[in-house]
Amino acid sequence: MSAAVQHTLAGSATLEGTSLHTGEKVTLTLKPAPEDHGFKFRRIDLPDQPFINADVAKVQTVERATTLAEGSVKVHTVEHVISALAGMGVDNCLIEMDANEPPIGDGSSRPFVEMIKKVGTLAQKSPRKVWEIREPIHLETGDGTIITIVPCKTFKVSVTNVGPEGRFTQYFSSEVTPELYEKEICSARTFVYYEDVKPLLEKGLIKGGSLESAVVIRGNEIMSKESMRFHNEFARHKALDLIGDLMLSGVRIFGHVIAVKPGHGPNTMMASKLKTEYARMRSMVPAPILIPNGESVLDINEVLKILPHRYPMLMVDRIVDCLGDSKCTGMKNITINEPYFAGHFPGHPIMPGVLQLEAMAQVSSVLMLRKPENAGKIGYFMSADSVKWRRPVFPGDTLFIETEIVKMRGAIGQTRCRCLVNGEVVSEAELKFALMDR
């Protein structure tokens, strides 16, 4: 699976079962979704079949599970299915349910992983956005939970589970890839302490719970239909929950998540913090300007928003024409006040040919940055071929710079350009660029 582009499911997959907390019978279907869709739940049992985004802003309660709500519409215990989708490298999915909670299965996310594996995944065209954490992000709660995310070139989780009175303190650490998620994380089951069962039942929770869907800890003993799947299964399940809850931030990360005594409350608090920090980081990126099609004009202030060049190296005064995605024309007024005339043939001032070449490059950059996927980037000169200067350009001339994209492959673009004065070609060239992030 390529991590460079978004993925969705290659088909629909359905699972029937019983919900953990409500005890209701439910049918859940995972469906393919378009690019940039993210994860959305849909209650098909309700009128109008409303949607709920898998967004931390929709989190309503976090007691023993994460609940999302949109008005009066709710979905409970979303963390296992979201964890499976995120862990298996799925970016876009529609999750349809005919009740308000997914089936609990065996208490792990393995049933959802098996659904994903059954239909497979499909690569999409849009690039996958992953935020690389550059500075530590820290969260600490009053009950002893600590979650810190530190810089890392991959996504990694390290979890310490701490039970009441220190019982079953366990540690688990792993990088999170689809292969490792399936092998090391998805099979870990949810668990509950025996002394908590009665209070949870009194609150109307875990109505669908059983020893087939959870591990019960009584004192120092473990009650389960099967033996422990891992020696540190509880810490692994905490990692499973953490992956699902953090994905509610709406952004994948490269970072090392270190969590001591995590739970749904602190997990979603960190997801909210991630969402806020990501928005703050993105706010520092200059907003891309909308470059119009046809005979619309971009004045100098709009040009300055697109190009990083400034006096004395800005060689474009305005954009006077855009034709589709492939052609663009700029204009430069040549005055005697240009700084290069002081040293470039003072007694016979002409515009240096290399600066005409620079003007072609700048208009070419505007042309390539029109594409939405290139917004906010910068063009670096790679080569100039078939360069010709036909006649001199003098003070008082108006230089029109015509550019046309002849080839675009990934981040590399090639344009054919020419400069004209009074309709006569004064210079021409073929240029190659690399588009890079600022």
Side-chain angles (χ1 to χ4, degrees), residues 95-109:
I95 307 156
E96 290 188 348
M97 300 190 299
D98 60 3
N100 63 8
E101 186 179 7
I104 186 60
D106 63 355
S108 73
S109 64

Side-chain angles (χ1 to χ4, degrees), residues 39 85-91 128-132 247 249-254:
F39 303 140
L85 290 165
M88 295 302 291
V90 178
D91 301 281
R128 171 182 289 166
K129 295 180 180 179
V130 183
W131 178 26
E132 183 177 337
M247 199 61 208
S249 65
V251 59
R252 289 183 178 271
I253 65 168
F254 281 161

Side-chain angles (χ1 to χ4, degrees), residues 322-339:
C322 295
L323 182 59
D325 291 331
S326 61
K327 294 183 179 181
C328 187
T329 301
M331 186 188 76
K332 171 67 177 172
N333 290 308
I334 311 300
T335 76
I336 192 60
N337 296 316
E338 302 292 340

Side-chain angles (χ1 to χ4, degrees), residues 309-316 332 339 354-355 358-359 362:
H309 307 79
R310 295 296 182 266
Y311 177 86
M313 286 304 298
L314 183 61
M315 297 292 146
V316 185
K332 171 67 177 172
V354 292
L355 295 184
E358 177 64 20
Q362 292 181 19

Side-chain angles (χ1 to χ4, degrees), residues 15-28 62-67 75-81 97 99-109 111-112 188-193 196-197 200-216 237 240-241 264:
L15 177 67
E16 298 179 352
T18 302
S19 300
L20 171 62
H21 290 297
T22 63
E24 295 182 10
K25 296 295 182 180
V26 57
T27 299
L28 177 145
V62 289
E63 186 170 9
R64 298 289 173 167
T66 300
T67 296
V75 287
H76 306 283
T77 320
V78 301
E79 61 274 9
H80 291 181
V81 63
M97 300 190 299
N100 63 8
E101 186 179 7
I104 186 60
D106 63 355
S108 73
S109 64
F112 304 116
R189 296 164 294 171
T190 192
F191 59 96
V192 64
Y193 293 92
D196 293 334
V197 172
L200 288 171
L201 287 171
E202 290 174 347
K203 293 179 179 179
L205 302 175
I206 63 170
K207 292 178 181 179
S210 70
L211 292 180
E212 296 178 348
S213 59
V215 177
V216 178
H237 187 80
L240 184 158
D241 283 344
H264 295 298

Side-chain angles (χ1 to χ4, degrees), residues 94-147:
L94 177 61
I95 307 156
E96 290 188 348
M97 300 190 299
D98 60 3
N100 63 8
E101 186 179 7
I104 186 60
D106 63 355
S108 73
S109 64
R110 186 167 65 184
F112 304 116
V113 168
E114 290 172 349
M115 295 171 70
I116 296 167
K117 295 269 290 182
K118 181 179 179 180
V119 298
T121 58
L122 179 68
Q124 298 173 293
K125 293 182 179 180
S126 293
R128 171 182 289 166
K129 295 180 180 179
V130 183
W131 178 26
E132 183 177 337
I133 303 298
R134 306 294 293 274
E135 297 180 355
I137 302 174
H138 182 71
L139 174 72
E140 191 166 350
T141 66
D143 61 357
T145 296
I146 299 173
I147 303 178

Side-chain angles (χ1 to χ4, degrees), residues 20-78:
L20 171 62
H21 290 297
T22 63
E24 295 182 10
K25 296 295 182 180
V26 57
T27 299
L28 177 145
T29 302
L30 301 179
K31 291 188 171 183
E35 297 168 348
D36 300 317
H37 177 277
F39 303 140
K40 297 182 190 296
F41 290 86
R42 191 178 194 184
R43 290 283 305 276
I44 61 173
D45 58 314
L46 298 178
D48 300 327
Q49 300 186 353
F51 294 87
I52 301 179
N53 290 338
D55 189 319
V56 69
K58 306 298 182 182
V59 172
Q60 184 182 65
T61 57
V62 289
E63 186 170 9
R64 298 289 173 167
T66 300
T67 296
L68 305 178
E70 182 75 64
S72 61
V73 181
K74 299 178 182 179
V75 287
H76 306 283
T77 320
V78 301

